Amino acid sequence: MTTFYSEFQKVFLSVDCIIFGFEENKLKILIGKRNMDPGRGEWSLYGGFVRGDESLDAAANRTLFELTGLRKVYMRQVGAFGNIDRDPGERVVSVAYYALINVKDYPVKLMQEHGVEWVDIDNIPQLYSDHNEMVRQARKLMKQKMKTNPVGFELLPGLFTLTQLQRLYEAVNGEEMDKRNFRKRVKEMNYIEKTDLIDKQSSRRGASLYRFNKKAFNEDSNFKL
Amino acid sequence: MTTFYSEFQKVFLSVDCIIFGFEENKLKILIGKRNMDPGRGEWSLYGGFVRGDESLDAAANRTLFELTGLRKVYMRQVGAFGNIDRDPGERVVSVAYYALINVKDYPVKLMQEHGVEWVDIDNIPQLYSDHNEMVRQARKLMKQKMKTNPVGFELLPGLFTLTQLQRLYEAVNGEEMDKRNFRKRVKEMNYIEKTDLIDKQSSRRGASLYRFNKKAFNEDSNFKL
DNA sequence: CCAAAAGTGTTCCGTCTACACCCATGG
DNA sequence: CCATGGGTGTAGACGGAACACTTTTGG
């Protein structure tokens, strides 16, 4: 082992995941009770330590996979959190990531095994350490990203109705939108494709199901909602 | 020392600074030749290791201070960079920060002592490790921030002309702007105050000097340039 | 007297916003 | 037959973009 920097201290490095989901017209995140010391029993984000043989991104993806069984999830870094005493036990610097998943892709069984649950983003309890701040920043970044990038679809099923899409944006932005204006904008994005399938769950009349065509988007990529 | 996490590996943690300046109507950053192994002699951002007794933000501020002698500089985190082999010597995770300084506040003497120089942002050479990527991300964040927050003033002297301000925004956005439209917008921001001082450097006629009134901004804070 | 930068308003166009009614269906 | 959510267009307001000429003064 080389020793270029041996005069300096090392620290523990972890990742913490802010996992967004959309259910019952609400934006939610996954949290659970911490089952390790320090902070055992407190509400907390799901996280894990970074291994010596993986990048930060890889650690975040692995951690998410361990929790949800999902791969290739949309994840983005929020930032590094490194106050000295953020962890009561040791010096631990944590890198937060947010993820967008479709709640239906997450097996309830795994959820129970890990003891995590969906909590309304506007109703987050006090969390362990600086996790509330991580959530705050993640939400801000995510909201920003959703304005100009078609990432909201990650939170929806592959087929969705326009009302679902609108409710999602309303939940994220925290304000209601005008139905006609919303649909006008969607109609101009040709990569949001109407299928000939009808969803009969949500209404008697039935609503057309749409899908997001990623390939089409790459050719004609301007997005604004 | 407690040992909650003793089963996990520790890593070295550093900070790297993308220091923006504005000079000759160009946006620039400070870089220097690395004077330590590995990578000795390569162009590089200025950085340093995080100490055991300081937060990440504190480490970034200290590093900037060591280089420039400046305190209370506007700094924001860009993010954590943690590819396994980003440092050829050891596993080092680095947290990048960008800073905005007024080039005139940076003593040339200190610049020479540390062997750093201002380089046009559009003409950055190949840098050590992943530093080019750090610069790219920092620039993007900074550009974004400048659109909606009055942080550009950090790059200008306390007194500045409207043409200077416009040139700054043109440099950051990479496109020319219309003088009348620009001034119209400035005029609506009452916290950008006209002084009765005249700058005679830049023109024969002379241009009014303006200042940014932070207090006034806090009361009437909407900004858009 | 002229080069060089400072300073100043108006018009046009496209975008965003507000707004109300009919449709289809299951129960 | 009615309650429920799905689906549709237009007009007016607003904000952003384009655009040209006069002023001042040092050399």
Side-chain angles (χ1 to χ4, degrees):
Chain A
M1 185 173 183
T2 50
T3 53
F4 288 113
Y5 312 124
S6 50
E7 70 209 274
F8 301 105
Q9 290 199 19
K10 290 182 165 189
V11 301
F12 287 112
L13 241 203
S14 65
V15 294
D16 285 302
C17 301
I18 298 95
I19 303 163
F20 289 103
F22 180 64
E23 202 179 24
E24 296 163 338
N25 293 340
K26 304 254 190 216
L27 187 64
K28 304 190 171 184
I29 65 169
L30 274 179
I31 59 175
K33 294 268 176 81
R34 225 174 122 86
N35 61 5
M36 70 191 297
D37 283 315
R40 188 183 298 270
E42 290 181 45
W43 286 107
S44 164
L45 294 172
Y46 192 82
F49 283 89
V50 177
R51 295 186 184 150
D53 63 350
E54 65 185 0
S55 68
L56 296 174
D57 289 0
N61 278 285
R62 173 180 56 75
T63 301
L64 186 75
F65 174 74
E66 285 169 12
L67 177 63
T68 63
L70 301 174
R71 293 218 193 264
K72 303 208 174 185
V73 170
Y74 183 87
M75 287 191 96
R76 287 294 181 274
Q77 192 189 114
V78 176
F81 292 74
N83 283 346
I84 306 173
D85 55 358
R86 59 176 296 283
D87 187 296
E90 287 260 14
R91 179 81 197 262
V92 181
V93 169
S94 189
V95 182
Y97 280 80
Y98 74 86
L100 306 180
I101 74 172
N102 172 9
V103 293
K104 300 231 180 75
D105 290 343
Y106 186 19
V108 175
K109 185 163 164 290
L110 265 178
M111 228 175 99
Q112 290 166 342
E113 273 176 26
H114 286 98
V116 294
E117 38 190 281
W118 290 110
V119 179
D120 187 334
I121 190 74
D122 289 316
N123 206 13
I124 308 287
Q126 169 112 12
L127 302 178
Y128 174 71
S129 184
D130 50 8
H131 288 192
N132 289 89
E133 176 61 16
M134 291 180 177
V135 172
R136 232 203 72 244
Q137 291 191 25
R139 187 182 183 182
K140 190 171 166 186
L141 282 179
M142 180 269 216
K143 181 172 170 179
Q144 179 106 10
K145 182 64 85 172
M146 278 197 45
K147 267 197 226 298
T148 50
N149 296 76
V151 298
F153 306 107
E154 307 284 340
L155 291 162
L156 295 174
L159 294 170
F160 51 87
T161 67
L162 292 186
T163 300
Q164 274 180 289
L165 186 62
Q166 185 178 341
R167 295 285 173 270
L168 169 60
Y169 272 84
E170 289 175 340
V172 170
N173 295 326
E175 58 184 17
E176 297 196 347
M177 300 180 176
D178 180 273
K179 182 162 58 160
R180 281 179 286 189
N181 292 338
F182 184 84
R183 288 159 111 98
K184 201 188 310 169
R185 270 171 292 175
V186 170
K187 200 165 288 176
E188 269 153 28
M189 297 184 250
N190 296 317
Y191 46 84
I192 301 181
E193 297 171 344
K194 186 175 188 168
T195 68
D196 49 9
L197 301 171
I198 306 289
D199 172 75
K200 303 285 282 183
Q201 309 297 109
S202 56
S203 76
R204 306 213 155 128
R205 175 176 175 177
S208 287
L209 286 164
Y210 287 71
R211 86 162 74 85
F212 171 61
N213 185 330
K214 200 161 189 169
K215 275 203 194 95
F217 170 74
N218 287 332
E219 285 156 21
D220 158 32
S221 45
N222 68 324
F223 181 91
K224 188 74 58 114
L225 270 179
Chain B
M1 186 174 183
T2 51
T3 54
F4 288 114
Y5 313 124
S6 51
E7 68 207 278
F8 301 105
Q9 291 200 16
K10 289 182 166 190
V11 301
F12 286 111
L13 241 203
S14 65
V15 294
D16 285 302
C17 300
I18 298 95
I19 303 162
F20 289 102
F22 181 64
E23 200 179 27
E24 296 164 340
N25 292 340
K26 306 254 190 216
L27 187 64
K28 305 192 172 183
I29 65 169
L30 274 180
I31 59 175
K33 293 268 177 82
R34 226 174 121 86
N35 61 3
M36 70 191 296
D37 283 315
R40 190 182 294 271
E42 291 181 45
W43 285 107
S44 164
L45 295 172
Y46 192 81
F49 283 90
V50 177
R51 293 186 186 152
D53 62 350
E54 64 185 1
S55 68
L56 296 175
D57 289 0
N61 279 287
R62 173 181 53 78
T63 302
L64 185 76
F65 174 72
E66 284 170 10
L67 176 63
T68 63
L70 301 174
R71 295 221 192 259
K72 302 208 176 185
V73 170
Y74 183 87
M75 287 191 94
R76 287 295 181 273
Q77 192 189 113
V78 176
F81 292 74
N83 282 345
I84 305 173
D85 54 357
R86 61 175 296 284
D87 187 296
E90 287 261 13
R91 180 79 197 265
V92 181
V93 169
S94 189
V95 181
Y97 280 80
Y98 74 85
L100 305 180
I101 73 173
N102 172 9
V103 294
K104 301 231 179 76
D105 290 342
Y106 187 17
V108 175
K109 183 161 165 292
L110 265 178
M111 227 174 99
Q112 290 165 342
E113 273 176 27
H114 285 98
V116 293
E117 36 191 284
W118 291 109
V119 179
D120 186 334
I121 190 74
D122 289 318
N123 207 13
I124 308 287
Q126 169 112 12
L127 302 179
Y128 174 71
S129 184
D130 50 9
H131 287 192
N132 288 87
E133 176 62 14
M134 290 179 177
V135 172
R136 232 202 73 244
Q137 291 190 26
R139 186 183 183 182
K140 190 172 165 184
L141 282 179
M142 180 269 216
K143 181 172 170 179
Q144 179 106 8
K145 183 63 84 174
M146 279 199 41
K147 266 197 225 303
T148 51
N149 296 75
V151 298
F153 307 107
E154 308 284 339
L155 292 162
L156 295 174
L159 293 170
F160 51 86
T161 67
L162 292 185
T163 301
Q164 274 179 291
L165 186 63
Q166 184 177 343
R167 295 284 173 269
L168 169 61
Y169 272 83
E170 289 174 339
V172 169
N173 295 326
E175 59 185 16
E176 297 195 348
M177 299 179 176
D178 181 90
K179 182 164 56 160
R180 280 179 287 188
N181 292 337
F182 184 84
R183 284 164 181 246
K184 201 187 311 169
R185 271 171 286 166
V186 170
K187 200 165 289 178
E188 271 153 25
M189 296 183 252
N190 296 318
Y191 47 84
I192 301 180
E193 297 172 343
K194 186 174 186 168
T195 68
D196 50 9
L197 302 171
I198 305 289
D199 171 75
K200 304 286 285 185
Q201 308 296 109
S202 56
S203 75
R204 304 209 158 133
R205 177 175 174 178
S208 287
L209 286 164
Y210 286 71
R211 86 162 75 86
F212 171 61
N213 184 331
K214 200 160 189 170
K215 276 203 193 95
F217 170 74
N218 287 332
E219 285 156 22
D220 157 33
S221 46
N222 67 323
F223 181 91
K224 187 77 57 119
L225 270 179

